[in-house]
């Protein structure tokens, strides 16, 4: 079985459809047909922007407000990822989005870690496949008046670092508020030795990537629009900055319009440190295996190039040296 690593996977965009159905039933929400549910959760070709794309997160977020629901979602997602052949995944979410029914950010994080632990327990029964290990990335949100919430997330990331949490991120609609406005939080993260990645160069252009770099990011979420700027591209190569590329998601949000010309292969050959990830499995109706297959078919991605993408992900992972040794050994088998 093929083995995969996903470094860029949003929990709220990847809630398995069966889990949404199960939780809706538990909450006595009106029953939706499969077609109606697909309309609520999945993007189609009419999606014109990142803003419209983000509307698909409304229903999942409604179902992510209690300890039980969060634990269930993480557990079900990990079971799904294991079936797909994942051996390591960094799953991200913003704790502050899950406090609408009274949970504290700390309780939100504890519930998701408990989902991972439950999965590890279950995984012990399955000796035939390599283990899937997971880490959590906590997202700060690009909102206007949430300094206190963002700072709390930074502090909690420190508390839970190495205990389920592996790093921080900045997410939310790109463009209206520039990345650099959030610099203070990442200065704090640097002081606390918390690894981080920042979403940039998806809906917003090369300048947003420059700002993320100025903020000390060594990993960029997406970053695909660096291709519009030669000088920036050169900088990314020289400094071996990791780009977390997500092909189908970029098509959905119209950051890129043609899968045939998706530049990941070209970027690899230019010496850029790119990785391939799924972003939002449910919203984009995809998974990592499908992403690889798509790029094999449309851009002639080769097995050697796929190995490089995997090894780039190992290097970039927010994990221990021992775990990296395990992950490298898995692909050499
Ligand atoms: Zn993302």
């Amino acid at each position: 079985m093929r083995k995969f690593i996903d470094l860029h996977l949003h929990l709220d965009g990847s809630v398995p459809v069966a889990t949404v159905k199960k939780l809706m039933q538990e909450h006595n929400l009106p029953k939706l047909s499969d077609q109606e549910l697909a309309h609520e959760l999945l993007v189609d070709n009419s999606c014109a922007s990142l803003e419209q794309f983000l509307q698909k997160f409304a229903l999942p977020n409604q179902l992510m407000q209690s300890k039980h629901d969060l634990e269930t979602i993480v557990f079900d997602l990990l079971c799904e990822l294991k079936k797909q052949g994942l051996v390591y995944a960094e799953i991200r979410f913003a704790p502050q989005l899950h406090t609408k029914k009274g949970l504290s950010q700390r309780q939100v994080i504890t519930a998701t870690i408990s989902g991972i632990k439950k999965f590890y327990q279950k995984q012990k029964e399955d000796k035939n496949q390599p283990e899937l290990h997971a880490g959590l990335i906590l997202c700060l949100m690009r909102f206007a008046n949430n300094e206190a919430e963002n700072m709390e997330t930074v502090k909690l990331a420190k508390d839970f670092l190495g205990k389920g949490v592996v790093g921080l991120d900045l997410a939310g609609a790109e463009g209206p508020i520039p990345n650099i406005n959030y610099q203070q939080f990442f200065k704090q993260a640097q002081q606390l030795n918390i690894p981080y990645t920042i979403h940039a160069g998806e809906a917003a252009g090369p300048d947003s990537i420059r700002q993320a770099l100025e903020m000390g990011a060594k990993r960029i979420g997406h970053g695909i629009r660096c291709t519009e700027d030669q000088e920036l591209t050169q900088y990314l190569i020289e400094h071996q900055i990791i780009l977390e590329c997500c092909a189908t998601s970029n098509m959905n949000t119209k950051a890129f319009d043609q899968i045939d010309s998706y530049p990941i292969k070209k970027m690899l050959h230019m010496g850029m440190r790119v990785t391939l990830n799924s972003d939002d499995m449910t919203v984009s109706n995809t998974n990592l295996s499908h992403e690889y297959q798509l790029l094999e078919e449309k851009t002639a991605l080769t097995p050697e190039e796929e190995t490089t993408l995997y090894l780039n992900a190992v290097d970039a992972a927010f994990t221990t040296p021992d775990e990296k040794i395990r992950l490298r050994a898995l692909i050499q088998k």
Side-chain angles (χ1 to χ4, degrees), residues 38-184:
H39 179 76
E40 284 292 320
L41 299 171
L42 278 53
V43 288
D44 54 31
N45 290 335
S46 69
C47 176
S49 66
L50 181 60
E51 280 71 24
Q52 279 189 19
F53 183 79
L54 293 174
Q55 286 167 9
K56 302 291 174 185
F57 294 77
L59 175 60
N61 272 298
Q62 210 185 321
L63 300 169
M64 298 174 78
Q65 304 296 337
S66 78
K67 286 184 192 176
H68 164 78
D69 293 357
L70 286 161
E71 188 189 282
T72 304
I73 288 168
V74 171
F75 177 83
D76 287 1
L77 174 61
L78 289 173
C79 291
E80 187 59 42
L81 294 177
K82 170 118 188 192
K83 269 192 243 159
Q84 294 169 11
L86 272 88
V87 289
Y88 180 81
E90 289 177 359
I91 296 168
R92 58 184 79 193
F93 63 96
Q96 64 189 279
L97 295 180
H98 310 298
T99 57
K100 293 190 181 83
K101 287 190 181 159
L103 288 185
S104 64
Q105 287 200 40
R106 181 179 289 277
Q107 287 170 322
V108 171
I109 298 165
T110 310
T112 51
I113 292 175
S114 143
I116 297 180
K117 285 185 179 157
K118 233 177 102 182
F119 168 76
Y120 285 167
Q121 205 58 38
K122 181 182 182 256
Q123 173 166 249
K124 282 184 187 164
E125 298 161 13
D126 173 14
K127 298 262 185 266
N128 298 323
Q129 266 191 69
E131 286 183 1
L132 161 60
H133 294 171
L136 301 171
I137 294 179
L138 306 183
C139 301
L140 309 183
M141 291 305 296
R142 274 194 211 99
F143 294 152
N145 295 302
N146 62 337
E147 283 86 3
E149 288 84 350
N150 278 343
M151 198 48 97
E152 191 185 342
T153 308
V154 175
K155 291 191 175 131
L156 287 167
K158 180 65 184 174
D159 287 356
F160 286 98
L161 198 63
K163 298 168 195 153
V165 171
V166 298
L168 282 167
D169 174 34
L170 177 61
E174 252 183 61
I177 312 177
N179 277 340
I180 202 76
N181 288 26
Y182 300 87
Q183 190 166 30
Q184 53 158 327

Side-chain angles (χ1 to χ4, degrees), residues 8 10 92 169 199 202 222 246 279-280:
H8 193 124
H10 292 264
R92 58 184 79 193
D169 174 34
H199 274 79
E202 180 188 13
H222 296 288
C246 313
D279 209 9
D280 299 293

Side-chain angles (χ1 to χ4, degrees), residues 181-192:
N181 288 26
Y182 300 87
Q183 190 166 30
Q184 53 158 327
F185 306 108
F186 292 92
K187 275 196 176 144
Q188 182 73 21
Q190 268 179 345
Q191 276 167 12
L192 296 171

Side-chain angles (χ1 to χ4, degrees), residues 4-10 81 84 86-91 219 245-246 276-281 287-288 313:
F4 299 102
I5 294 177
D6 204 325
L7 297 182
H8 193 124
L9 182 68
H10 292 264
L81 294 177
Q84 294 169 11
L86 272 88
V87 289
Y88 180 81
E90 289 177 359
I91 296 168
R219 265 170 58 175
C245 299
C246 313
L276 184 60
N277 310 277
S278 52
D279 209 9
D280 299 293
M281 269 173 30
N287 59 50
L288 208 41

